[in-house]
Amino acid sequence: MYAGINIITLALFSFCIILLVANLTYSKKTGIQMKTEKIDLKEYEKYYDKTLIDEEVKRLSKDKEFKEKKISAIIVLIMCTIPWPFFLIREFDGENYAQIIMFIVFYITIVILLFLIFKNDQKTHAYKSVVIKKMLEEKYPNSLYMPEKGISFNDYAFKEYVSPFNRYNNEDYISFTVNEKRITLSELETARVTKDSKGNSRSTITFRGIVGYYELNKTYEINQMYLGDNERFYKSIKLDNEEFNKEYYLVCDNEISSYKLLTPTNMERLIKLKDKIPTIELLLTDNRLYFRFENKNILEYKKDINSSSLELYKLDMLLKTISNICIEIEKELNDKI
Amino acid sequence: MDSVSTVVFVSAAILVLVVICAMYNTLISLKNKVTRSKSNIDVFLKKRFDLIPNIESAVKGYIKHEKETLEEITRLRNIYETNKDIKTANELNEKITNLIMIAEDNPKLKSSELFLNLQKELADVEDEIQAVRRIYNNSVNIFNTRINQIPYLFLVPLLGYREEEFLKFDTEEIKVTFDK
């Protein structure tokens, strides 16, 4: 019996450590390619205010939502560990204390991990609502930032074109105005959860990055045009530029219109865009220009002013690049279609 | 010939036949794409030339001294209607462009709403013609490449296919400016 408990304890302990290490070391070479050498970060330093962040953390620890989360986690922890002391007491021979020590160590580790997760969660929330919100409000008037929300599933038009998924998590909803038209974007993670013959669940992340759309407010003769790298389901249109055909997989309901829009100049422009954002995908439908690209999570808590300024600079560049892309493409659409 | 050899021979023959059929189908669909693209050009050229009567009536009152140009356009249009010749179409395009340029010099005409709408419509059709020409040239490129490739090369004389000619048109100047 003791051997069984030991194995389960060790397995759970190892699993928690692996999860923690995986979470801390996760990074991926994606997103917007930008030079980060010799950049002036001074203008972003003013948004970082440690005192305000700490005050927000304190406020959040008293917040009803966080309290409820904490209580739920503690209840789950207690429910899961209630049977263990009974087993240990029943099987205890009065001499071997190793199992009891191991159980206590495991329990304390879990409690510490939970505490760290909650603390980090509070800091991230505080950082977002103090630092990021402040920068967005100042640099992008009329912007709207909701850290808890994201682009709704109904607005995720790429779902018809991409690998199937059954888990949809989003956060960091940002909406701002360019040329009197709104650009809305958020972070998104989609995954496909499958079960094997033994009933074990397996989750495969199908997308992690930025997704959004630009309101064109005008009807074009193209109903749907997808430019990306997903070669599922559809027959693609090959244009008269080999390099473009290699970079983009084009699906469109109107071949003539796609040629009209994708002139040699525009194709060169889109090839150049791939250098800037290697994983960019575009979709024109429902009077909106949708975009998505893989990107590592940039809207997370930064513990010092330097790393915070760099991340704010990256976010600013990301929003500016997206705005430029949307404006350029809209101009071409209006000129050609 | 024993039964094993017969089976091998028949299987090989069926395989060769399947490959030939697949090659034949590919060539037919590529040839059809070229024909379809060519007829698309005709459709959009017709769309452009159908605007001629409107252009004529819009400019008639303003540029009386260009009576000869207007008559020449009507004559060329009638020729094109009968022979669908690409040379006539190019000549006609040239005359229409000249007429528009002359008309643009007239300030009264330049401010006429009817003329401005016609100009916009013409520009749209011009873009469409450019697009279908590119589709045609792309189809021709794919077709010509394929009929010169092995093993299609051996099937081409049997079908009587020959290389198609590309259309020549002014390519737009490529200026790429993405960074702002």
Side-chain angles (χ1 to χ4, degrees):
Chain A
M1 179 59 82
Y2 271 125
I5 293 170
N6 284 344
I7 289 164
I8 294 167
T9 312
L10 267 172
L12 281 169
F13 189 72
S14 312
F15 181 69
C16 290
I17 297 296
I18 289 166
L19 269 183
L20 188 71
V21 171
N23 194 38
L24 290 173
T25 56
Y26 172 77
S27 75
K28 204 177 177 182
K29 278 184 186 174
T30 48
I32 293 180
Q33 305 300 301
M34 57 181 102
K35 287 174 186 169
T36 49
E37 310 130 23
K38 293 177 186 174
I39 46 168
D40 188 13
L41 297 173
K42 272 184 186 166
E43 64 169 305
Y44 300 98
E45 284 174 3
K46 63 181 175 190
Y47 303 113
Y48 190 86
D49 190 331
K50 188 87 174 75
T51 327
L52 277 178
I53 297 171
D54 290 341
E55 277 174 20
E56 184 67 10
V57 171
K58 273 181 198 166
R59 193 192 67 78
L60 284 171
S61 60
K62 290 169 193 165
D63 193 81
K64 197 185 165 191
E65 194 187 329
F66 275 88
K67 273 188 178 172
E68 279 172 2
K69 269 188 191 176
K70 269 186 201 171
I71 291 164
S72 322
I74 290 163
I75 290 170
V76 170
L77 184 67
I78 291 168
M79 294 294 281
C80 291
T81 48
I82 275 176
W84 288 48
F86 290 106
F87 277 121
L88 289 167
I89 292 160
R90 204 180 70 184
E91 301 294 325
F92 184 55
D93 55 7
E95 287 176 6
N96 194 351
Y97 288 92
Q99 284 78 18
I100 293 169
I101 291 166
M102 195 179 253
F103 173 76
I104 292 166
V105 169
F106 168 70
Y107 201 84
I108 291 168
T109 313
I110 293 288
V111 171
I112 291 170
L113 275 175
L114 274 176
F115 174 78
L116 288 174
I117 288 166
F118 277 115
K119 201 71 190 165
N120 194 49
D121 201 19
Q122 278 171 8
K123 279 179 179 171
T124 304
H125 272 75
Y127 177 77
K128 284 177 178 179
S129 52
V130 171
V131 181
I132 295 173
K133 204 168 189 173
K134 198 172 157 191
M135 187 200 85
L136 287 172
E137 277 170 2
E138 203 178 302
K139 281 192 167 272
Y140 299 87
N142 304 322
S143 66
L144 179 66
Y145 175 53
M146 292 185 280
E148 299 290 301
K149 293 197 172 176
I151 299 254
S152 72
F153 183 74
N154 288 338
D155 284 332
Y156 184 54
F158 283 101
K159 55 182 175 272
E160 291 173 29
Y161 290 87
V162 296
S163 310
F165 60 91
N166 48 16
R167 206 180 69 196
Y168 184 87
N169 294 326
N170 53 14
E171 58 173 7
D172 294 314
Y173 177 99
I174 300 173
S175 181
F176 60 102
T177 310
V178 176
N179 276 4
E180 295 176 356
K181 284 168 192 166
R182 283 204 91 74
I183 294 181
T184 307
L185 58 101
S186 77
E187 286 190 333
L188 172 69
E189 184 183 288
T190 59
R192 183 162 175 77
V193 183
T194 48
K195 277 192 177 180
D196 61 17
S197 53
K198 289 174 187 170
N200 300 321
S201 292
R202 195 185 159 188
S203 173
T204 315
I205 290 170
T206 54
F207 176 78
R208 181 185 279 149
I210 303 284
V211 61
Y213 55 85
Y214 177 60
E215 300 278 1
L216 293 160
N217 298 337
K218 194 178 168 186
T219 310
Y220 296 96
E221 62 189 63
I222 286 176
N223 289 327
Q224 279 204 333
M225 185 168 86
Y226 168 79
L227 276 167
D229 53 9
N230 202 300
E231 301 189 9
R232 283 174 54 84
F233 309 120
Y234 300 93
K235 200 173 176 238
S236 71
I237 294 172
K238 298 288 174 209
L239 298 183
D240 48 354
N241 184 327
E242 282 301 314
E243 203 184 339
F244 180 87
N245 291 337
K246 274 182 205 161
E247 295 288 351
Y248 290 97
Y249 182 79
L250 167 66
V251 181
C252 186
D253 55 352
N254 187 332
E255 189 184 20
I256 295 171
S257 296
S258 63
Y259 266 83
K260 241 172 102 178
L261 172 65
L262 298 164
T263 59
T265 315
N266 287 346
M267 284 191 284
E268 289 297 327
R269 187 175 280 134
L270 286 165
I271 292 167
K272 213 179 166 199
L273 174 62
K274 272 266 176 174
D275 291 338
K276 212 172 180 70
I277 314 176
T279 54
I280 186 83
E281 287 171 79
L282 298 163
L283 175 64
L284 181 70
T285 187
D286 302 332
N287 306 335
R288 277 176 177 176
L289 174 69
Y290 290 87
F291 54 85
R292 75 165 208 170
F293 53 89
E294 288 181 9
N295 197 60
K296 67 170 187 170
N297 198 343
I298 58 166
L299 300 174
E300 288 307 315
Y301 171 67
K302 299 287 172 262
K303 62 181 177 185
D304 62 81
I305 192 161
N306 292 332
S307 52
S308 165
S309 302
L310 183 63
E311 291 307 297
L312 289 179
Y313 164 79
K314 284 182 184 173
L315 173 65
D316 194 22
M317 287 303 111
L318 184 133
L319 299 181
K320 279 183 178 139
T321 308
I322 288 171
S323 310
N324 286 345
I325 293 165
C326 292
I327 292 165
E328 287 279 343
I329 293 175
E330 190 194 20
K331 194 175 162 287
E332 295 301 334
L333 282 170
N334 290 342
D335 284 351
K336 294 287 173 193
I337 297 180
Chain B
M1 198 185 277
D2 60 12
S3 58
V4 177
S5 306
T6 313
V7 169
V8 170
F9 179 76
V10 171
S11 307
I14 290 170
L15 190 70
V16 169
L17 201 68
V18 168
V19 170
I20 290 172
C21 285
M23 279 160 56
Y24 175 80
N25 287 345
T26 308
L27 287 177
I28 291 287
S29 68
L30 289 176
K31 179 73 180 168
N32 283 348
K33 171 95 179 168
V34 173
T35 316
R36 203 169 55 241
S37 313
K38 201 171 188 177
S39 64
N40 271 343
I41 298 176
D42 290 338
V43 168
F44 284 99
L45 279 176
K46 192 180 181 313
K47 197 174 166 186
R48 187 182 203 223
F49 299 148
D50 283 348
L51 290 172
I52 292 172
N54 299 342
I55 298 167
E56 281 177 347
S57 61
V59 302
K60 212 180 267 179
Y62 299 93
I63 46 170
K64 283 171 187 164
H65 55 282
E66 290 295 332
K67 199 184 166 192
E68 273 179 27
T69 315
L70 293 171
E71 281 172 1
E72 181 65 6
I73 287 172
T74 316
R75 189 184 68 82
L76 285 170
R77 191 186 167 215
N78 291 336
I79 295 171
Y80 179 77
E81 291 288 338
T82 8
N83 64 12
K84 302 279 178 205
D85 177 36
I86 207 83
K87 202 178 163 190
T88 318
N90 287 340
E91 218 174 318
L92 190 52
N93 275 336
E94 207 177 303
K95 293 281 174 199
I96 296 169
T97 315
N98 282 343
L99 182 69
I100 297 289
M101 278 164 74
I102 294 163
E104 276 176 343
D105 286 341
N106 188 313
K108 279 185 187 171
L109 194 54
K110 216 177 167 183
S111 58
S112 151
E113 202 178 322
L114 176 69
F115 181 70
L116 289 174
N117 286 340
L118 272 171
Q119 252 187 324
K120 197 187 168 298
E121 220 172 313
L122 259 177
D124 284 348
V125 179
E126 200 55 57
D127 281 341
E128 277 161 349
I129 292 170
Q130 199 86 332
V132 288
R133 278 176 164 178
R134 280 174 55 214
I135 294 174
Y136 173 78
N137 277 353
N138 199 26
S139 321
V140 168
N141 183 33
I142 295 168
F143 177 75
N144 288 352
T145 311
R146 194 54 63 90
I147 64 169
N148 283 306
Q149 282 174 334
I150 294 171
Y152 296 92
L153 194 66
F154 307 119
L155 196 64
V156 169
L158 301 173
L159 293 167
Y161 286 169
R162 268 183 292 174
E163 280 196 9
E164 295 283 338
E165 263 184 61
F166 287 99
L167 284 175
K168 284 177 186 164
F169 55 97
D170 297 332
T171 48
E172 61 178 307
E173 199 185 344
I174 297 175
K175 284 179 192 167
V176 182
T177 48
F178 219 94
D179 298 310
K180 281 193 172 175

Short mmCIF file of all heavy atoms in Angstrom, two decimals, chain A residues 266-296:
data_model
loop_
_atom_site.label_atom_id
_atom_site.label_comp_id
_atom_site.label_asym_id
_atom_site.label_seq_id
_atom_site.Cartn_x
_atom_site.Cartn_y
_atom_site.Cartn_z
N ASN A 266 1.19 44.73 -55.46
CA ASN A 266 0.63 44.23 -54.20
C ASN A 266 1.22 42.89 -53.80
O ASN A 266 1.41 42.63 -52.61
CB ASN A 266 -0.89 44.11 -54.31
CG ASN A 266 -1.54 45.45 -54.31
OD1 ASN A 266 -0.90 46.44 -53.97
ND2 ASN A 266 -2.79 45.51 -54.72
N MET A 267 1.48 42.06 -54.80
CA MET A 267 2.08 40.77 -54.47
C MET A 267 3.46 40.96 -53.86
O MET A 267 3.82 40.32 -52.88
CB MET A 267 2.15 39.89 -55.72
CG MET A 267 0.80 39.29 -56.08
SD MET A 267 0.89 38.02 -57.33
CE MET A 267 1.16 38.98 -58.79
N GLU A 268 4.24 41.89 -54.44
CA GLU A 268 5.57 42.18 -53.89
C GLU A 268 5.44 42.72 -52.46
O GLU A 268 6.22 42.38 -51.59
CB GLU A 268 6.30 43.23 -54.76
CG GLU A 268 6.73 42.72 -56.11
CD GLU A 268 7.74 41.59 -56.03
OE1 GLU A 268 8.56 41.57 -55.09
OE2 GLU A 268 7.69 40.71 -56.91
N ARG A 269 4.43 43.55 -52.26
CA ARG A 269 4.20 44.13 -50.94
C ARG A 269 3.88 43.02 -49.91
O ARG A 269 4.38 43.02 -48.80
CB ARG A 269 3.03 45.12 -51.02
CG ARG A 269 2.81 45.90 -49.76
CD ARG A 269 1.74 46.93 -49.96
NE ARG A 269 2.25 48.11 -50.63
CZ ARG A 269 1.64 48.72 -51.64
NH1 ARG A 269 0.53 48.25 -52.12
NH2 ARG A 269 2.16 49.81 -52.16
N LEU A 270 3.04 42.08 -50.34
CA LEU A 270 2.66 41.00 -49.42
C LEU A 270 3.83 40.04 -49.16
O LEU A 270 3.94 39.49 -48.07
CB LEU A 270 1.46 40.24 -49.98
CG LEU A 270 0.12 40.98 -49.86
CD1 LEU A 270 -0.93 40.36 -50.74
CD2 LEU A 270 -0.36 41.02 -48.43
N ILE A 271 4.69 39.87 -50.18
CA ILE A 271 5.89 39.04 -49.96
C ILE A 271 6.77 39.71 -48.91
O ILE A 271 7.30 39.07 -48.01
CB ILE A 271 6.65 38.82 -51.29
CG1 ILE A 271 5.84 37.94 -52.23
CG2 ILE A 271 8.02 38.18 -51.03
CD1 ILE A 271 6.33 37.92 -53.66
N LYS A 272 6.87 41.04 -49.02
CA LYS A 272 7.68 41.80 -48.06
C LYS A 272 7.07 41.74 -46.66
O LYS A 272 7.78 41.69 -45.66
CB LYS A 272 7.77 43.26 -48.52
CG LYS A 272 9.08 43.89 -48.14
CD LYS A 272 9.18 45.30 -48.61
CE LYS A 272 10.35 45.96 -47.90
NZ LYS A 272 10.27 47.39 -47.94
N LEU A 273 5.74 41.70 -46.62
CA LEU A 273 5.04 41.59 -45.34
C LEU A 273 5.41 40.28 -44.62
O LEU A 273 5.52 40.23 -43.41
CB LEU A 273 3.53 41.67 -45.57
CG LEU A 273 2.61 41.43 -44.38
CD1 LEU A 273 2.84 42.46 -43.30
CD2 LEU A 273 1.16 41.45 -44.80
N LYS A 274 5.62 39.23 -45.41
CA LYS A 274 6.00 37.93 -44.83
C LYS A 274 7.35 38.00 -44.12
O LYS A 274 7.60 37.25 -43.19
CB LYS A 274 6.05 36.86 -45.93
CG LYS A 274 4.73 36.18 -46.17
CD LYS A 274 4.62 34.91 -45.35
CE LYS A 274 3.26 34.29 -45.52
NZ LYS A 274 3.16 32.99 -44.87
N ASP A 275 8.23 38.90 -44.63
CA ASP A 275 9.53 39.07 -43.96
C ASP A 275 9.33 39.69 -42.59
O ASP A 275 10.03 39.38 -41.64
CB ASP A 275 10.44 40.01 -44.77
CG ASP A 275 10.87 39.37 -46.07
OD1 ASP A 275 10.85 38.14 -46.15
OD2 ASP A 275 11.22 40.12 -47.01
N LYS A 276 8.34 40.56 -42.51
CA LYS A 276 8.08 41.27 -41.25
C LYS A 276 7.29 40.39 -40.28
O LYS A 276 7.60 40.33 -39.10
CB LYS A 276 7.27 42.54 -41.55
CG LYS A 276 7.58 43.66 -40.61
CD LYS A 276 6.90 44.93 -41.08
CE LYS A 276 7.17 46.08 -40.16
NZ LYS A 276 8.53 46.58 -40.18
N ILE A 277 6.26 39.73 -40.80
CA ILE A 277 5.46 38.83 -39.95
C ILE A 277 5.39 37.47 -40.67
O ILE A 277 4.51 37.24 -41.50
CB ILE A 277 4.03 39.36 -39.70
CG1 ILE A 277 4.07 40.85 -39.32
CG2 ILE A 277 3.34 38.56 -38.62
CD1 ILE A 277 2.71 41.48 -39.16
N PRO A 278 6.32 36.57 -40.37
CA PRO A 278 6.40 35.31 -41.13
C PRO A 278 5.14 34.45 -41.10
O PRO A 278 4.88 33.71 -42.04
CB PRO A 278 7.57 34.57 -40.48
CG PRO A 278 8.33 35.61 -39.75
CD PRO A 278 7.36 36.65 -39.35
N THR A 279 4.35 34.55 -40.03
CA THR A 279 3.19 33.65 -39.94
C THR A 279 1.87 34.36 -40.23
O THR A 279 0.81 33.85 -39.85
CB THR A 279 3.13 33.01 -38.53
OG1 THR A 279 3.16 34.07 -37.58
CG2 THR A 279 4.29 32.07 -38.28
N ILE A 280 1.93 35.50 -40.89
CA ILE A 280 0.69 36.29 -41.12
C ILE A 280 -0.30 35.52 -42.02
O ILE A 280 0.08 34.86 -42.98
CB ILE A 280 1.04 37.67 -41.74
CG1 ILE A 280 -0.20 38.59 -41.87
CG2 ILE A 280 1.68 37.53 -43.12
CD1 ILE A 280 -0.58 39.32 -40.66
N GLU A 281 -1.56 35.62 -41.66
CA GLU A 281 -2.65 35.09 -42.49
C GLU A 281 -3.70 36.19 -42.58
O GLU A 281 -3.98 36.85 -41.58
CB GLU A 281 -3.28 33.85 -41.84
CG GLU A 281 -2.40 32.62 -41.92
CD GLU A 281 -2.97 31.49 -41.09
OE1 GLU A 281 -3.90 30.81 -41.53
OE2 GLU A 281 -2.47 31.31 -39.96
N LEU A 282 -4.26 36.38 -43.77
CA LEU A 282 -5.26 37.44 -43.96
C LEU A 282 -6.54 36.83 -44.53
O LEU A 282 -6.48 35.86 -45.28
CB LEU A 282 -4.73 38.50 -44.94
CG LEU A 282 -3.47 39.26 -44.52
CD1 LEU A 282 -2.84 39.95 -45.71
CD2 LEU A 282 -3.79 40.26 -43.43
N LEU A 283 -7.64 37.42 -44.16
CA LEU A 283 -8.93 36.94 -44.65
C LEU A 283 -9.85 38.13 -44.86
O LEU A 283 -10.08 38.92 -43.95
CB LEU A 283 -9.54 35.95 -43.65
CG LEU A 283 -10.95 35.44 -43.94
CD1 LEU A 283 -10.98 34.63 -45.23
CD2 LEU A 283 -11.45 34.57 -42.80
N LEU A 284 -10.35 38.25 -46.08
CA LEU A 284 -11.27 39.34 -46.39
C LEU A 284 -12.67 38.76 -46.51
O LEU A 284 -12.94 37.97 -47.42
CB LEU A 284 -10.85 40.00 -47.70
CG LEU A 284 -11.68 41.17 -48.19
CD1 LEU A 284 -11.47 42.37 -47.30
CD2 LEU A 284 -11.32 41.52 -49.62
N THR A 285 -13.54 39.10 -45.60
CA THR A 285 -14.92 38.60 -45.64
C THR A 285 -15.80 39.46 -44.73
O THR A 285 -15.29 40.10 -43.81
CB THR A 285 -14.98 37.10 -45.23
OG1 THR A 285 -16.29 36.63 -45.44
CG2 THR A 285 -14.58 36.86 -43.80
N ASP A 286 -17.11 39.47 -45.03
CA ASP A 286 -18.08 40.21 -44.21
C ASP A 286 -17.68 41.67 -43.96
O ASP A 286 -17.82 42.17 -42.83
CB ASP A 286 -18.27 39.53 -42.84
CG ASP A 286 -18.74 38.11 -42.97
OD1 ASP A 286 -19.40 37.82 -43.97
OD2 ASP A 286 -18.40 37.29 -42.10
N ASN A 287 -17.17 42.34 -44.98
CA ASN A 287 -16.74 43.75 -44.87
C ASN A 287 -15.69 43.97 -43.80
O ASN A 287 -15.58 45.04 -43.21
CB ASN A 287 -17.92 44.68 -44.58
CG ASN A 287 -19.03 44.52 -45.56
OD1 ASN A 287 -18.78 44.08 -46.69
ND2 ASN A 287 -20.23 44.83 -45.16
N ARG A 288 -14.94 42.91 -43.54
CA ARG A 288 -13.87 43.04 -42.55
C ARG A 288 -12.59 42.42 -43.10
O ARG A 288 -12.66 41.46 -43.88
CB ARG A 288 -14.22 42.26 -41.26
CG ARG A 288 -15.11 43.01 -40.32
CD ARG A 288 -15.46 42.09 -39.18
NE ARG A 288 -16.27 42.75 -38.17
CZ ARG A 288 -16.77 42.13 -37.12
NH1 ARG A 288 -16.56 40.85 -36.94
NH2 ARG A 288 -17.49 42.79 -36.24
N LEU A 289 -11.47 42.98 -42.67
CA LEU A 289 -10.19 42.37 -43.00
C LEU A 289 -9.68 41.69 -41.73
O LEU A 289 -9.33 42.36 -40.77
CB LEU A 289 -9.20 43.43 -43.49
CG LEU A 289 -7.78 42.93 -43.73
CD1 LEU A 289 -7.73 42.01 -44.95
CD2 LEU A 289 -6.82 44.08 -43.94
N TYR A 290 -9.67 40.37 -41.73
CA TYR A 290 -9.21 39.63 -40.57
C TYR A 290 -7.72 39.32 -40.72
O TYR A 290 -7.24 39.13 -41.84
CB TYR A 290 -9.96 38.30 -40.45
CG TYR A 290 -11.40 38.44 -40.06
CD1 TYR A 290 -12.38 38.63 -41.03
CD2 TYR A 290 -11.79 38.37 -38.73
CE1 TYR A 290 -13.71 38.76 -40.68
CE2 TYR A 290 -13.12 38.49 -38.37
CZ TYR A 290 -14.08 38.68 -39.35
OH TYR A 290 -15.39 38.81 -39.00
N PHE A 291 -7.03 39.28 -39.61
CA PHE A 291 -5.62 38.91 -39.64
C PHE A 291 -5.32 38.03 -38.45
O PHE A 291 -6.02 38.09 -37.42
CB PHE A 291 -4.72 40.16 -39.63
CG PHE A 291 -5.00 41.10 -38.50
CD1 PHE A 291 -4.43 40.93 -37.25
CD2 PHE A 291 -5.90 42.17 -38.68
CE1 PHE A 291 -4.72 41.79 -36.22
CE2 PHE A 291 -6.20 43.03 -37.64
CZ PHE A 291 -5.60 42.84 -36.40
N ARG A 292 -4.32 37.19 -38.59
CA ARG A 292 -3.85 36.43 -37.43
C ARG A 292 -2.40 36.02 -37.66
O ARG A 292 -1.98 35.85 -38.81
CB ARG A 292 -4.74 35.21 -37.13
CG ARG A 292 -4.59 34.05 -38.05
CD ARG A 292 -5.23 32.78 -37.47
NE ARG A 292 -4.53 31.63 -38.00
CZ ARG A 292 -4.68 30.39 -37.59
NH1 ARG A 292 -5.52 30.12 -36.63
NH2 ARG A 292 -3.99 29.41 -38.12
N PHE A 293 -1.65 35.93 -36.63
CA PHE A 293 -0.26 35.46 -36.73
C PHE A 293 0.17 34.92 -35.38
O PHE A 293 -0.34 35.32 -34.34
CB PHE A 293 0.68 36.57 -37.21
CG PHE A 293 0.62 37.85 -36.42
CD1 PHE A 293 1.43 38.04 -35.32
CD2 PHE A 293 -0.25 38.85 -36.80
CE1 PHE A 293 1.38 39.21 -34.59
CE2 PHE A 293 -0.31 40.04 -36.07
CZ PHE A 293 0.50 40.21 -34.97
N GLU A 294 1.11 33.98 -35.47
CA GLU A 294 1.61 33.37 -34.24
C GLU A 294 2.47 34.38 -33.50
O GLU A 294 3.20 35.14 -34.11
CB GLU A 294 2.41 32.12 -34.57
CG GLU A 294 1.52 30.99 -35.01
CD GLU A 294 2.28 29.72 -35.32
OE1 GLU A 294 3.48 29.66 -35.04
OE2 GLU A 294 1.65 28.81 -35.88
N ASN A 295 2.35 34.38 -32.21
CA ASN A 295 3.06 35.36 -31.41
C ASN A 295 3.17 34.85 -29.98
O ASN A 295 2.23 34.24 -29.48
CB ASN A 295 2.26 36.68 -31.42
CG ASN A 295 3.07 37.85 -30.99
OD1 ASN A 295 4.08 38.17 -31.60
ND2 ASN A 295 2.66 38.50 -29.92
N LYS A 296 4.32 35.10 -29.36
CA LYS A 296 4.41 34.68 -27.95
C LYS A 296 3.69 35.72 -27.11
O LYS A 296 3.51 36.86 -27.53
CB LYS A 296 5.85 34.51 -27.53
CG LYS A 296 6.65 35.79 -27.51
CD LYS A 296 7.98 35.55 -26.86
CE LYS A 296 8.69 36.88 -26.70
NZ LYS A 296 9.87 36.82 -25.89
#
